[in-house]
Amino acid sequence: MVRHLIIGNSAAGITAAEILRRLDGRAGITVVSDEAEPAYSRCLLPDFLAGRKTGADLRIRPADFYAGNRIDRVSGRVLRVDPRSRQVLLENGGCLDYDRLLIATGARSAFPPVPGLSGPNVTGLRTLADARKIVQLAGNVRRVLVVGAGFVGLETAYALYNRGLEVTVVEKMPQILPGQFDATAAGILQRDMHAEGMRIILGAGIKEVLTPSGFLNFFNKSAQGVLLDNGDRLKADLIVVAAGIRPNVELVQDTGISTGRGITVDQFMRTSVPGVYAAGDVAETEDVVTGRVGLTPIWPNAVSQGKTAAWNMAGQPRPCSGSLGMQNAVEFREIPSIAMGITQGGDPGLEVVTAGQPGQNVYRKLVLRDNVIVGMILVGDISGAGVIGALIRKHADVRKFKDDILRGRFNYGYMLAEMRNAG
Amino acid sequence: MKSIMIDLDACNGCLTCTLACAAAHSRSGSIVGAMQEKTPARIFIEAVNGRAVPVTCRHCEEPACAEACMTGAMRKDSLTGLVSNEGHEQKCVGCWMCIMACPYGAVTAHPRERVALKCDGCPGLPQPACVAACPNRALRYEEPAFFAAGRSRDAACSAAQAS
Ligand SMILES: Cc1cc2nc3c(=O)[nH]c(=O)nc-3n(C[C@H](O)[C@H](O)[C@H](O)COP(=O)(O)OP(=O)(O)OC[C@H]3O[C@@H](n4cnc5c(N)ncnc54)[C@H](O)[C@@H]3O)c2cc1C
């Protein structure tokens, strides 16, 4: 009997466990994680913050999932992986043996090196425990400062705003959602946040967090808050840091398992050490568009990588289809929007075409290289986004359909009809 | 497992399938009732260069929509093979990750509610309502292997498969 050990009980880990069981009825499957809850969706934490969902509502599998699939759960924090003895060492002194190991430890909130950015009123939003802490604090505070206007920061801002708090978002870059949305799309979404009543400060970083006494010294007022690098000060009773993530790779340090920012894997999710696999936010994979190796820390990629890892751990070799960077900013009031792949032009080989009426919250953008779509932004109307995603993944030549795609008239029927004509 | 097969040459775009689909998913169960209730259809007839092309869910072997689903609501039933975001312990929140993932564009946003909408395969009926209603036999409910060769469906689908 093969013993599979999975570190991490979230998107990548739980998918791998489920598929391993499907592929091998007899294997031993153990999932160890340092969060006590049954697997839940981090993506729904903003709904929990806003009070729309309870902790139990966040679970991603039915209540009988672990027992029904004969998956053993171990609660505990893994300190180290030891590939030579094929064991992992737990913080509580215990250890677990494995034949094949999947590292699906995900990531944690990254905190920028700002003096004073710690303490009881400063937190990230990554875990249910973080969310519970924020909800608890939210009862006694008035002003919230969100550091970072990426996806998680803005969702947090909306959620806390909906709880009735005063929310300010501070972003170093000159636009919100600087990751994958361009200035036009960001402008549409930002206008919407302003209309709601949230404050957004762009192009400014946090220089220092001021304690009540520090604030008194600086400004002769008793309050807590922050000093921005442009000299402005802001009062804040609660600071939520949403300034990116850091993969949880510490447990493989000095083990021979190669790492960059995350754990390096090949297309079979194998690390540099035999028998050890990695998947999800902790893993570095090749991007289907750019060909570059890096993190693509989103839910669908974690699931798909967990699946690929499971097939290969079960001895049925199968490559991963490759990761595609995508962002889906839907919470932002009623304007759905999606970005995929390379969304900024600039490169001389890239062609950029846009359509829509940004003033009416509708915007479409395609980025192409030699008539192959390498990226897109859809704001307002996202129907059929996955069809375009498939064209990106397939590196399909779209010269015939470019205009239809841009105008939102394209659909899978075009491809069916093409095939019919060709066949 | 049987699935909905599309014979493009036989479809004349009469939209009967969309009406039957809406009726089957309405409270009243009738076409008129569905129109009154404004029940949306889950199968679409797209116009492609003057030709009618039915588009609906294939209930994929490895559904990209289910992989992208962040709540666990979208799932493939291991017994029936049907992929649906309804009737499970986990609920759809309308995050549209499935819309972003489906290479066929078969998942849409419900026009009024915050949930994703897709073909549920009409569980409980001997064959899906759209198939039963199609007057041209352009939609058929068959084992893929029995479906006439040269109908191009599988070539088209494999070309579009995301994976
Ligand atoms: C607020 C928020 C909103 C998000 N919204 C979206 C969204 O809308 N769409 C989207 O695609 N993505 C979203 N994401 C990102 C998405 O949640 C992640 O991509 C996904 O959770 C990654 O899954 P994973 O399995 O790789 O790792 P994680 O979900 O990070 O899970 C890691 C697991 O490993 C365990 N673990 C870690 N270290 C150890 C250790 N040393 N010992 C034992 N166990 C350990 C943890 O307990 C956990 O079970 C969001 C994230 C957040 C925080």
Short mmCIF file of all heavy atoms in Angstrom, two decimals, chain A residues 198-220:
data_model
loop_
_atom_site.label_atom_id
_atom_site.label_comp_id
_atom_site.label_asym_id
_atom_site.label_seq_id
_atom_site.Cartn_x
_atom_site.Cartn_y
_atom_site.Cartn_z
N MET A 198 -15.97 55.11 -0.47
CA MET A 198 -14.66 54.69 0.06
C MET A 198 -13.59 55.65 -0.41
O MET A 198 -13.70 56.23 -1.48
CB MET A 198 -14.33 53.28 -0.42
CG MET A 198 -15.00 52.22 0.41
SD MET A 198 -14.87 50.62 -0.33
CE MET A 198 -16.34 50.59 -1.31
N ARG A 199 -12.55 55.79 0.39
CA ARG A 199 -11.47 56.69 0.01
C ARG A 199 -10.29 55.86 -0.48
O ARG A 199 -9.92 54.87 0.14
CB ARG A 199 -11.05 57.53 1.20
CG ARG A 199 -9.92 58.48 0.86
CD ARG A 199 -9.84 59.61 1.84
NE ARG A 199 -9.55 59.11 3.17
CZ ARG A 199 -8.90 59.83 4.09
NH1 ARG A 199 -8.48 61.05 3.82
NH2 ARG A 199 -8.69 59.33 5.29
N ILE A 200 -9.72 56.28 -1.59
CA ILE A 200 -8.58 55.56 -2.16
C ILE A 200 -7.44 56.55 -2.36
O ILE A 200 -7.63 57.60 -2.99
CB ILE A 200 -8.95 54.91 -3.50
CG1 ILE A 200 -10.11 53.93 -3.29
CG2 ILE A 200 -7.76 54.19 -4.11
CD1 ILE A 200 -10.69 53.38 -4.56
N ILE A 201 -6.29 56.23 -1.82
CA ILE A 201 -5.13 57.09 -2.00
C ILE A 201 -4.10 56.32 -2.83
O ILE A 201 -3.64 55.25 -2.43
CB ILE A 201 -4.53 57.49 -0.63
CG1 ILE A 201 -5.59 58.26 0.17
CG2 ILE A 201 -3.26 58.30 -0.82
CD1 ILE A 201 -5.18 58.55 1.59
N LEU A 202 -3.80 56.86 -4.00
CA LEU A 202 -2.89 56.17 -4.91
C LEU A 202 -1.51 56.80 -4.89
O LEU A 202 -1.35 57.96 -4.53
CB LEU A 202 -3.46 56.22 -6.33
CG LEU A 202 -4.81 55.52 -6.51
CD1 LEU A 202 -5.35 55.79 -7.91
CD2 LEU A 202 -4.67 54.03 -6.25
N GLY A 203 -0.53 56.02 -5.29
CA GLY A 203 0.83 56.54 -5.41
C GLY A 203 1.46 56.93 -4.10
O GLY A 203 2.37 57.77 -4.05
N ALA A 204 1.00 56.32 -3.02
CA ALA A 204 1.60 56.63 -1.72
C ALA A 204 1.80 55.34 -0.93
O ALA A 204 0.97 54.45 -0.97
CB ALA A 204 0.70 57.58 -0.93
N GLY A 205 2.93 55.27 -0.26
CA GLY A 205 3.21 54.11 0.58
C GLY A 205 3.13 54.49 2.05
O GLY A 205 3.06 55.67 2.39
N ILE A 206 3.09 53.47 2.89
CA ILE A 206 3.08 53.72 4.33
C ILE A 206 4.53 53.84 4.80
O ILE A 206 5.34 52.97 4.54
CB ILE A 206 2.44 52.53 5.09
CG1 ILE A 206 1.13 52.12 4.45
CG2 ILE A 206 2.31 52.84 6.57
CD1 ILE A 206 -0.03 52.91 4.85
N LYS A 207 4.85 54.95 5.45
CA LYS A 207 6.22 55.12 5.91
C LYS A 207 6.39 54.56 7.31
O LYS A 207 7.41 53.95 7.64
CB LYS A 207 6.56 56.61 5.91
CG LYS A 207 8.01 56.88 6.12
CD LYS A 207 8.34 58.30 5.76
CE LYS A 207 9.81 58.55 6.04
NZ LYS A 207 10.03 59.96 6.36
N GLU A 208 5.38 54.76 8.11
CA GLU A 208 5.53 54.39 9.51
C GLU A 208 4.15 54.26 10.13
O GLU A 208 3.24 55.01 9.77
CB GLU A 208 6.30 55.51 10.21
CG GLU A 208 6.82 55.15 11.57
CD GLU A 208 7.56 56.31 12.21
OE1 GLU A 208 7.97 57.25 11.49
OE2 GLU A 208 7.68 56.28 13.44
N VAL A 209 4.01 53.30 11.03
CA VAL A 209 2.76 53.22 11.80
C VAL A 209 2.99 53.94 13.12
O VAL A 209 3.99 53.69 13.80
CB VAL A 209 2.35 51.76 12.05
CG1 VAL A 209 1.08 51.71 12.90
CG2 VAL A 209 2.12 51.05 10.72
N LEU A 210 2.10 54.84 13.44
CA LEU A 210 2.29 55.65 14.63
C LEU A 210 1.41 55.13 15.76
O LEU A 210 0.22 54.90 15.57
CB LEU A 210 1.91 57.11 14.33
CG LEU A 210 2.65 57.74 13.16
CD1 LEU A 210 2.01 59.05 12.75
CD2 LEU A 210 4.12 57.95 13.52
N THR A 211 2.02 54.95 16.89
CA THR A 211 1.27 54.55 18.07
C THR A 211 0.54 55.79 18.59
O THR A 211 0.84 56.91 18.16
CB THR A 211 2.22 54.06 19.16
OG1 THR A 211 3.12 55.13 19.43
CG2 THR A 211 2.98 52.83 18.70
N PRO A 212 -0.40 55.63 19.54
CA PRO A 212 -1.06 56.82 20.08
C PRO A 212 -0.06 57.87 20.57
O PRO A 212 -0.21 59.06 20.28
CB PRO A 212 -1.89 56.25 21.23
CG PRO A 212 -2.20 54.85 20.81
CD PRO A 212 -1.00 54.39 20.04
N SER A 213 1.01 57.43 21.23
CA SER A 213 1.97 58.42 21.73
C SER A 213 2.76 59.03 20.58
O SER A 213 3.05 60.22 20.56
CB SER A 213 2.89 57.81 22.78
OG SER A 213 3.63 56.77 22.19
N GLY A 214 3.08 58.19 19.58
CA GLY A 214 3.79 58.71 18.42
C GLY A 214 2.96 59.75 17.69
O GLY A 214 3.45 60.81 17.28
N PHE A 215 1.70 59.46 17.54
CA PHE A 215 0.79 60.38 16.86
C PHE A 215 0.72 61.70 17.63
O PHE A 215 0.74 62.78 17.05
CB PHE A 215 -0.62 59.75 16.78
CG PHE A 215 -1.35 60.08 15.52
CD1 PHE A 215 -1.18 59.32 14.38
CD2 PHE A 215 -2.22 61.16 15.46
CE1 PHE A 215 -1.86 59.61 13.20
CE2 PHE A 215 -2.90 61.46 14.29
CZ PHE A 215 -2.73 60.68 13.16
N LEU A 216 0.70 61.59 18.96
CA LEU A 216 0.66 62.77 19.82
C LEU A 216 1.90 63.63 19.60
O LEU A 216 1.82 64.84 19.42
CB LEU A 216 0.56 62.31 21.28
CG LEU A 216 0.23 63.35 22.32
CD1 LEU A 216 -1.16 63.91 22.07
CD2 LEU A 216 0.31 62.75 23.72
N ASN A 217 3.07 62.95 19.55
CA ASN A 217 4.31 63.69 19.36
C ASN A 217 4.34 64.40 18.01
O ASN A 217 4.73 65.56 17.89
CB ASN A 217 5.52 62.76 19.43
CG ASN A 217 5.73 62.25 20.84
OD1 ASN A 217 5.17 62.83 21.77
ND2 ASN A 217 6.49 61.20 20.99
N PHE A 218 3.92 63.69 16.98
CA PHE A 218 4.00 64.25 15.64
C PHE A 218 2.98 65.36 15.41
O PHE A 218 3.26 66.38 14.83
CB PHE A 218 3.73 63.14 14.60
CG PHE A 218 4.95 62.49 14.07
CD1 PHE A 218 5.49 61.39 14.70
CD2 PHE A 218 5.57 63.01 12.93
CE1 PHE A 218 6.63 60.79 14.21
CE2 PHE A 218 6.70 62.40 12.43
CZ PHE A 218 7.24 61.29 13.07
N PHE A 219 1.78 65.06 15.82
CA PHE A 219 0.68 65.91 15.36
C PHE A 219 -0.09 66.57 16.48
O PHE A 219 -1.12 67.19 16.25
CB PHE A 219 -0.28 65.09 14.49
CG PHE A 219 0.42 64.42 13.35
CD1 PHE A 219 0.51 63.05 13.29
CD2 PHE A 219 1.01 65.18 12.35
CE1 PHE A 219 1.17 62.42 12.24
CE2 PHE A 219 1.66 64.57 11.30
CZ PHE A 219 1.75 63.19 11.25
N ASN A 220 0.40 66.32 17.71
CA ASN A 220 -0.22 66.96 18.84
C ASN A 220 -1.70 66.57 19.00
O ASN A 220 -2.52 67.35 19.42
CB ASN A 220 -0.09 68.49 18.71
CG ASN A 220 -0.03 69.12 20.10
OD1 ASN A 220 0.12 68.40 21.08
ND2 ASN A 220 -0.16 70.44 20.16
#
